[in-house]
Amino acid sequence: ASRSIRITAPWRSIRDRQPARESHAVNPRFLSPSQLAAYRRDGFLVLPGLVDDTRCLALRERAMELARRHVPEPAQATIFTADGRALHASDEYFLGSGEAIRCFFEQDAFDASGRLRTDAHLCLNKLGHAMHDLDPVFDSFSRTAELAAIAADIGMQAPLLLQSMYIFKQPRIGGEVICHTDHTYLWTEPPSVVGFWFAIDDATTENGCMWALPGGHRLPVKARSRLNAARTASELEVLDPAPYPAEGLVPLEAERGTLVLLHGALPHLSGPNRSDRPRHAYTLHAIDGVADYLGDNWLQRPTLKLRGFNP
Ligand code: FE2
């Protein structure tokens, strides 16, 4: 059992504020029984060809444009390290990004004197975290009948799209992401977060594809990220100091248009991109509206209403 405590007033859970429910009974089922069994057994499911190239490339174009449009001033810029810490950052820039479209840079994006090595939009780590609600191209990519059906198939009763990230994993400087679970960062009780990860470029072991631990979603989650008392920064509360198993992870290579479903308690990571090919990906994190989303999670949506997968 986690040692987390639930904070209610004055930060009510998202469910209390936004009881947006959508029926899953109206959608046809999408996954086959064997696909569902594999998801339950492994904690992930790779679905090649879910999105056609045209839509992937349109999202890619849009992400590049948003990157150019939203590049922050150097003083605001947040850099991401492999363990998810934000450096040199205005924490406010990060903590307020749950309701915004903001740019986060690679650790290697800056030279020794602190200047960007190349154009800002070419050294971004990611865009986050509300493109799916604030940009029409991301909105329509993120909300389809297929995705609604898949969410229903894996047992989500009232899915809510909480967070979107467009990850650039740039050639040569694209950083690694160490082993973690998404539930650590988007904590609900009971656990409910699911990652919907889309390959926008082909992802291989050379350019930093994801790796995951089959069956690892049955292990206890080892940490919880939560806001400090002043709500000015997030801190990692360690629940179990033993590291994740180093053996047994499998690469999730994925061609453009592949959807990878990731159970929120599944340990996963991605390597650095030292190749000369980009590895763009788009991730949506959905929670179940029937679970409690805790008020001391870093991502809060005080004004922007959460919606599900239905267009
Ligand atoms: Fe993740």
Side-chain angles (χ1 to χ4, degrees):
S2 82
R3 293 189 284 112
S4 64
I5 51 165
R6 180 159 172 223
I7 295 178
T8 49
W11 310 289
R12 290 172 299 154
S13 77
I14 279 186
R15 183 178 66 115
D16 294 340
R17 284 195 303 270
Q18 292 151 349
R21 297 180 66 99
E22 54 185 54
S23 165
H24 55 285
V26 297
N27 295 308
R29 293 184 77 85
F30 187 90
L31 299 177
S32 70
S34 66
Q35 286 174 323
L36 256 181
Y39 176 74
R40 294 198 177 115
R41 180 190 66 227
D42 297 332
F44 64 85
L45 182 64
V46 180
L47 296 166
L50 193 90
V51 185
D52 64 43
D53 279 9
T54 310
R55 296 187 67 226
C56 289
L57 293 172
L59 194 79
R60 201 179 195 287
E61 268 306 301
R62 187 63 171 182
M64 303 288 269
E65 188 185 334
L66 291 178
R68 284 188 287 265
R69 201 187 290 172
H70 291 271
V71 164
E73 295 302 311
Q76 290 179 293
T78 297
I79 303 163
F80 266 89
T81 63
D83 59 2
R85 280 177 305 124
L87 295 179
H88 299 254
S90 130
D91 284 317
E92 197 186 336
Y93 184 78
F94 175 75
L95 293 178
S97 66
E99 295 193 313
I101 299 174
R102 292 190 178 165
C103 296
F104 302 96
F105 288 95
E106 289 290 353
Q107 195 169 10
D108 294 348
F110 299 85
D111 63 22
S113 62
R115 275 191 284 269
L116 285 174
R117 291 178 195 277
T118 179
D119 290 347
H121 70 277
L122 295 177
C123 43
L124 282 172
N125 170 290
K126 66 178 178 183
L127 294 174
H129 291 95
M131 289 84 71
H132 61 295
D133 284 325
L134 297 176
D135 181 78
V137 178
F138 275 80
D139 184 342
S140 69
F141 188 98
S142 307
R143 294 183 167 96
T144 66
E146 288 86 1
L147 295 175
I150 290 168
D153 284 346
I154 60 174
M156 303 191 86
Q157 294 180 58
L160 296 172
L161 305 193
L162 179 62
Q163 168 179 273
S164 49
M165 294 192 287
Y166 191 90
I167 299 155
F168 292 89
K169 193 77 90 170
Q170 309 269 7
R172 292 172 292 279
I173 62 168
E176 68 174 326
V177 177
I178 63 166
C179 201
H180 69 282
T181 73
D182 295 332
H183 179 56
T184 292
Y185 298 96
L186 301 170
W187 194 282
T188 65
E189 291 182 354
S192 70
V193 65
V194 177
F196 291 72
W197 184 98
F198 300 87
I200 302 299
D201 292 326
D202 295 348
T204 68
T205 53
E206 277 73 47
N207 68 356
C209 71
M210 272 198 301
W211 295 67
L213 183 67
H217 60 308
R218 287 188 288 273
L219 298 170
V221 168
K222 293 177 181 294
R224 181 177 172 218
S225 175
R226 59 199 301 178
L227 288 169
N228 62 10
R231 302 176 75 79
T232 53
S234 59
E235 295 167 351
L236 202 65
E237 177 187 16
V238 176
L239 307 170
D240 172 5
Y244 287 109
E247 305 282 304
L249 285 95
V250 296
L252 304 183
E253 294 196 309
E255 289 187 353
R256 172 177 292 150
T258 300
L259 167 63
V260 180
L261 291 178
L262 288 172
H263 187 286
L266 182 76
H268 60 283
L269 58 82
S270 66
N273 182 5
R274 299 296 178 219
S275 80
D276 57 8
R277 287 178 304 117
R279 196 229 66 178
H280 288 205
Y282 176 54
T283 307
L284 274 170
H285 287 108
I287 55 169
D288 201 323
V290 301
D292 281 322
Y293 183 76
L294 299 200
D296 60 351
N297 285 317
W298 79 266
L299 195 165
Q300 297 295 325
R301 299 251 307 210
T303 61
L304 200 55
K305 180 176 159 54
L306 290 176
R307 293 186 289 134
F309 282 108
N310 286 331

